[in-house]
Protein backbone atom coordinates (compact mmCIF):
# COMPACT_ATOMS: atom_id res chain seq x y z
CA UNK A 1 0.00 0.00 0.00
CA UNK A 2 3.02 2.27 0.22
CA UNK A 3 2.65 3.14 -3.45
CA UNK A 4 -0.87 4.59 -3.02
CA UNK A 5 -0.72 8.32 -2.34
CA UNK A 6 -4.27 9.60 -2.72
CA UNK A 7 -6.99 10.87 -0.39
CA UNK A 8 -9.54 8.78 -2.31
CA UNK A 9 -10.79 5.67 -0.48
CA UNK A 10 -9.83 2.27 -1.78
CA UNK A 11 -11.93 -0.87 -1.36
CA UNK A 12 -9.99 -4.04 -0.70
CA UNK A 13 -11.92 -7.22 -1.33
CA UNK A 14 -12.69 -9.91 -3.84
CA UNK A 15 -15.16 -7.90 -5.90
CA UNK A 16 -17.63 -10.77 -5.57
CA UNK A 17 -21.22 -10.06 -4.65
CA UNK A 18 -22.77 -11.56 -1.52
CA UNK A 19 -26.30 -11.17 -0.24
CA UNK A 20 -26.70 -9.80 3.27
CA UNK A 21 -28.60 -12.85 4.53
CA UNK A 22 -25.79 -15.21 3.49
CA UNK A 23 -23.16 -12.88 4.99
CA UNK A 24 -25.10 -12.66 8.27
CA UNK A 25 -25.46 -16.43 8.47
CA UNK A 26 -21.75 -16.92 7.72
CA UNK A 27 -20.69 -14.48 10.45
CA UNK A 28 -23.10 -16.14 12.90
CA UNK A 29 -21.66 -19.57 12.09
CA UNK A 30 -18.03 -18.47 12.37
CA UNK A 31 -18.64 -16.65 15.66
CA UNK A 32 -20.61 -19.54 17.15
CA UNK A 33 -23.65 -17.29 17.54
CA UNK A 34 -26.49 -19.32 19.03
CA UNK A 35 -29.12 -16.59 19.11
CA UNK A 36 -31.89 -15.96 16.63
CA UNK A 37 -31.39 -13.65 13.67
CA UNK A 38 -34.50 -11.51 13.23
CA UNK A 39 -35.22 -9.67 9.99
CA UNK A 40 -37.54 -6.67 10.09
CA UNK A 41 -39.74 -6.91 6.96
CA UNK A 42 -41.16 -3.44 7.66
CA UNK A 43 -37.76 -2.00 6.64
CA UNK A 44 -37.16 -3.37 3.14
CA UNK A 45 -35.14 -0.32 2.06
CA UNK A 46 -31.76 -1.79 3.03
CA UNK A 47 -29.32 -3.27 0.57
CA UNK A 48 -30.18 -6.91 -0.15
CA UNK A 49 -26.61 -7.58 -1.29
CA UNK A 50 -23.18 -5.98 -1.44
CA UNK A 51 -20.33 -5.97 -3.92
CA UNK A 52 -17.29 -3.75 -3.50
CA UNK A 53 -15.82 -1.98 -6.50
CA UNK A 54 -12.18 -3.04 -6.25
CA UNK A 55 -11.06 -1.59 -9.58
CA UNK A 56 -9.02 1.20 -7.94
CA UNK A 57 -7.08 -1.34 -5.85
CA UNK A 58 -6.33 -3.36 -8.97
CA UNK A 59 -5.31 -0.40 -11.12
CA UNK A 60 -3.39 1.60 -8.46
CA UNK A 61 -1.56 -1.07 -6.46
CA UNK A 62 -2.25 -4.24 -8.47
CA UNK A 63 -4.19 -5.76 -5.55
CA UNK A 64 -6.07 -9.00 -6.06
CA UNK A 65 -7.63 -10.79 -3.11
CA UNK A 66 -6.23 -14.24 -2.53
CA UNK A 67 -8.06 -14.97 0.74
CA UNK A 68 -11.64 -16.18 0.59
CA UNK A 69 -14.31 -14.21 2.44
CA UNK A 70 -14.86 -17.11 4.85
CA UNK A 71 -11.15 -17.46 5.62
CA UNK A 72 -10.77 -13.70 6.08
CA UNK A 73 -13.73 -13.57 8.45
CA UNK A 74 -12.29 -16.51 10.43
CA UNK A 75 -8.98 -14.68 10.80
CA UNK A 76 -10.75 -11.45 11.83
CA UNK A 77 -12.84 -13.29 14.41
CA UNK A 78 -9.75 -14.98 15.87
CA UNK A 79 -7.92 -11.65 16.06
CA UNK A 80 -10.85 -9.90 17.79
CA UNK A 81 -11.17 -12.74 20.32
CA UNK A 82 -7.43 -12.61 21.04
CA UNK A 83 -7.45 -8.83 21.52
CA UNK A 84 -10.55 -8.93 23.73
CA UNK A 85 -8.96 -11.59 25.94
CA UNK A 86 -5.85 -9.41 26.36
CA UNK A 87 -7.92 -6.47 27.62
Amino acid sequence: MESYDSPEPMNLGSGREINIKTLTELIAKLSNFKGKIVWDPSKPDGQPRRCLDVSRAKSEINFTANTSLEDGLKKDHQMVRKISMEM
Side-chain angles (χ1 to χ4, degrees), residues 2-47:
E2 294 173 22
S3 64
Y4 187 69
D5 186 23
S6 172
E8 296 300 315
M10 180 183 299
N11 293 321
L12 300 178
S14 68
R16 293 189 190 132
E17 185 175 284
I18 187 167
N19 70 53
I20 300 304
K21 182 177 187 284
T22 301
L23 178 59
T24 302
E25 291 168 349
L26 177 59
I27 292 169
K29 179 183 100 176
L30 295 174
S31 63
N32 239 359
F33 178 70
K34 303 294 183 202
K36 182 178 178 183
I37 297 170
V38 179
W39 300 97
D40 185 350
S42 72
K43 298 188 171 120
D45 293 335
Q47 290 184 324

